Amino acid sequence: MYAIIETGGKQYRVQQGDVIFVEKLNAEPETTVNFDVLLLGGEKKLTVGKPTVEGAKVEGRILAQTRGEKIVVFKYKAKKGYRRKMGHRQPYTKVEITAIQA
């Protein structure tokens, strides 16, 4: 069985046991989080929510709060002597999917 969940403005296809990186959630590691289900798929049955599937939820356990790779932001204007270099590391939450309840 698999499910489509939405968090942080993005949608993820998950199955039990998957480990995913989502936009930062305000919760401590080793706590449990629940996600609403947009679509639920199985062997031969597909359930689409309007906008979510009633009574279905995906349960996950937060493993860690991490940050992504550094991205260099460089602004430059030709022939003007304007240069700005800045870096950014996006915060992520590492979540393990423990259960899909239909």
Side-chain angles (χ1 to χ4, degrees):
M1 181 187 301
Y2 68 92
I4 305 287
I5 62 171
E6 181 179 15
T7 179
K10 297 172 181 67
Q11 295 178 0
Y12 301 90
R13 181 187 189 273
V14 296
Q15 292 179 333
Q16 187 171 349
D18 285 353
V19 175
I20 59 173
F21 288 90
V22 299
E23 295 292 322
K24 185 173 191 260
L25 301 172
N26 290 326
E28 295 296 318
E30 299 303 321
T31 58
T32 303
V33 292
N34 291 318
F35 301 103
D36 290 332
V37 177
L38 301 176
L39 182 138
L40 200 58
E43 291 288 320
K44 296 180 181 178
K45 189 175 179 186
L46 187 70
T47 307
V48 180
K50 299 176 188 175
T52 59
V53 178
E54 291 292 325
K57 69 177 182 173
V58 171
E59 195 172 287
R61 184 170 56 98
I62 295 179
L63 300 177
Q65 300 284 2
T66 62
R67 297 198 308 171
E69 292 292 316
K70 180 172 249 187
I71 296 172
V72 176
V73 180
F74 189 73
K75 297 180 179 183
Y76 168 79
K77 302 257 190 214
K79 298 178 231 146
K80 302 295 179 198
Y82 176 79
R83 289 171 168 78
R84 297 288 181 271
K85 185 176 179 182
M86 200 167 37
H88 176 74
R89 291 184 70 187
Q90 184 70 23
Y92 291 107
T93 301
K94 187 176 181 181
V95 178
E96 179 188 13
I97 305 301
T98 56
I100 298 176
Q101 299 167 357

